[in-house]
Amino acid sequence: MKSFMMALLVFTLMLFHVSCGESDDNGDTGNTGNTGDTGDTGDTGDTGDTGDTGDTGNTGNTGDTGNTGNTGDTGNTGNTGDTGNTGNTGDTGDTGNTSSECYDGHMRFGDTPCGTDDKGVFRQNCIDGNWVDSGFCLDFNGTYAQKMWFTASSKVAVLGDLAEAWTRTYFLIEQEQVKDKLYIKADFCSIVIDNSASWALKLNMPPSFAEALPILDKESMLIMRDDGSIEMTQDILWEIRSIDPECYGDNPADYDLPKKPDDPCVEDWDNDGIPGLHVIATGTFSGDIHIVEKSSSKFRNGWFDPDGQTAGGDVIWTDVQEVVKTNNTLLSGGAANSMKEISDHFQGNANFFEQFKIPDGSDCEYILENAASIFNPDPKKID
C-alpha cells in the first residue's frame, strides 16, 4: 500500500510542464487664457482699428470662445500653439533608441545594414558627441538550437510534495532581426521528462506529442548596454494545447481547461483518434494518458552575445494539465505542479534556456543528433 501511494504521488509530479471623453471645451477655455491672445485684440491697441474692435465683435468670436476650445486655435493664432507643436521637435526625441543622448563611450544599434543578407546593422559609437558607425556588425539572424530546462515540484493535495521533476525541451529556432527587435519562430523538436522517483512512474512523450505542437511565434527585444553587452527580453507567452483556439480567444490566461474528452473544445492534435495529447506512463503504474494543457513562459535575465552566436537566461513558467482520458483509473487524477527556484539535486539555475547558432538550413534531426555537442551538459543526468 505504501508503494502504491508513493507511485501515485510520483505520477502527479510527472504530469508536468512539457514545453514547456474628450474634455469639455470650457476646459479648453482654460485656453481662453489664450484669449490672452485676444490680447491680440491688443490689436485693439490699434484702436484705430477699434472699428475692428467691432471685430472684437469677432471677439464675438470669443462667442466662439464657446469654441474657445477653438481659441485653442487662437493658440494657433500665435501658431505658438503650433510652436507648442515645435514641441514636436520633441519628436526629435523620437530618434529614441538612436539614443537621444550621445556621450563618449555610449553605444547603440545603428541603421547601416550588414551581415546575413544585410539584415544585421552596424553598432554605432558616440565619439565627440556624434554617432559614428563602427566596424562591428550586430547580426542575430539565422538558425539556432535552443534547449529549455524546467524544474518542478509535484504535489498531491493530501500527501504534499512527492518528488522533483525535470522537463527538457529542444527547439529549432529561426530568427529574423529588424534593428534591435527579433521575430522568432520556434519549432518543437523533442520533449523529455524525468523525476527523482522515476522508478515508480515515468512519463514518456512520444514523437507525436512534439510533432503535434504548432510553431510558436515570439518576439524579443535587444537592449544595448553601455559596456557593449546585450540584454534580451521576451514577454510572457501562453500555450493552450489540444484545445480549439476559438474557446479561449484573446484571453488564454483566464481560460479553464475542460476535463472531459467529449467537451467540444478538446481536440485530437496528434491524430491518434482520441481527444487530447497522448502520453505514455511506465513504472509501477503504467498506462496511456491523454491530456490538455495550459502553460506560460517568460524570459528573465536574458542575454545575447554581441557576436550573435550564443544566448541564455532564466525562464519563469506556469503549467496546468487535465487528464481527459486514460486506460488506468489510478492515473486519472492528474497533478499539481509548480516551478522550483532551486533544485535539490543540482546546483545553478533550475529553470533556464540556452541557445546556440547552428548552420542555416539545419533541422530538428540535426539538433537531436548533435545535442551533446551543441548544448552544455544537463544539470541532472536523465537516464
Side-chain angles (χ1 to χ4, degrees), residues 19 61 74 95 124 152 174-176 211 228 232 272 278 359 364:
S19 36
N61 272 351
T74 62
T95 52
Q124 289 188 328
E174 293 291 346
Q175 246 172 225
E176 184 172 354
E211 292 169 359
M232 180 170 71
D272 63 353
H278 183 208
C364 278

Side-chain angles (χ1 to χ4, degrees), residues 44-326:
T44 66
D46 284 354
T47 59
D49 279 303
T50 56
D52 278 345
T53 58
D55 273 349
T56 59
N58 269 350
T59 60
N61 272 351
T62 60
D64 271 350
T65 62
N67 270 348
T68 57
N70 281 350
T71 59
D73 272 351
T74 62
N76 269 356
T77 63
N79 271 355
T80 58
D82 272 350
T83 59
N85 272 354
T86 61
N88 275 357
T89 59
D91 274 359
T92 59
D94 271 354
T95 52
N97 269 356
T98 56
S99 216
S100 34
E101 300 170 51
C102 175
Y103 52 90
D104 286 355
H106 194 44
M107 306 176 193
R108 71 179 185 184
F109 284 79
D111 296 305
T112 307
C114 64
T116 308
D117 298 327
D118 280 342
K119 290 183 178 180
V121 292
F122 281 113
R123 186 181 68 200
Q124 289 188 328
N125 300 332
C126 184
I127 301 175
D128 296 331
N130 296 305
W131 288 111
V132 179
D133 277 346
S134 72
F136 194 92
C137 184
L138 298 165
D139 186 357
F140 304 90
N141 296 278
T143 307
Y144 293 81
Q146 185 184 86
K147 179 175 74 177
M148 288 181 124
W149 182 282
F150 307 93
T151 300
S153 174
S154 291
K155 299 178 180 180
V156 173
V158 177
L159 301 172
D161 292 356
L162 276 182
E164 184 170 300
W166 312 288
T167 296
R168 175 180 56 183
T169 304
Y170 292 124
F171 291 94
L172 173 67
I173 301 290
E174 293 291 346
Q175 246 172 225
E176 184 172 354
Q177 173 187 355
V178 178
K179 198 171 180 177
D180 56 357
K181 191 169 187 176
L182 299 179
Y183 295 92
I184 299 166
K185 291 189 178 297
D187 190 3
F188 288 88
C189 293
S190 178
I191 301 171
V192 181
I193 297 179
D194 200 5
N195 65 79
S196 58
S198 57
W199 54 269
L201 185 144
K202 181 176 180 178
L203 293 185
N204 303 282
M205 319 301 290
S208 59
F209 192 106
E211 292 169 359
L213 301 180
I215 293 176
L216 303 178
D217 289 315
K218 302 182 179 184
E219 294 182 9
S220 286
M221 287 297 299
L222 302 174
I223 301 170
M224 179 73 69
R225 297 305 183 192
D226 285 349
D227 62 358
S229 64
I230 296 176
E231 176 185 347
M232 180 170 71
T233 66
Q234 192 172 108
D235 287 337
I236 190 167
L237 174 75
W238 286 95
E239 294 179 67
I240 312 293
R241 296 172 173 172
S242 220
I243 294 292
D244 181 353
E246 293 292 330
C247 292
Y248 55 86
D250 296 329
N251 191 22
D254 292 335
Y255 180 67
D256 292 326
L257 292 172
K259 299 176 173 59
K260 301 295 183 182
D262 56 356
D263 188 291
C265 290
V266 180
E267 297 184 332
D268 176 20
W269 281 14
D270 52 12
N271 296 313
D272 63 353
I274 302 174
L277 289 165
H278 183 208
V279 180
I280 302 168
T282 59
T284 304
F285 297 96
S286 61
D288 295 309
I289 307 165
H290 300 265
I291 67 170
V292 292
E293 184 175 25
K294 168 184 169 181
S295 66
S296 71
S297 60
K298 178 181 179 178
F299 288 175
R300 182 177 66 181
N301 303 322
W303 56 269
F304 220 120
D305 194 286
D307 66 7
Q309 299 297 302
T310 311
D314 302 332
V315 178
I316 307 300
W317 61 267
T318 63
D319 184 72
V320 178
Q321 298 175 0
E322 292 290 347
V323 176
V324 293
K325 189 175 182 63
T326 178

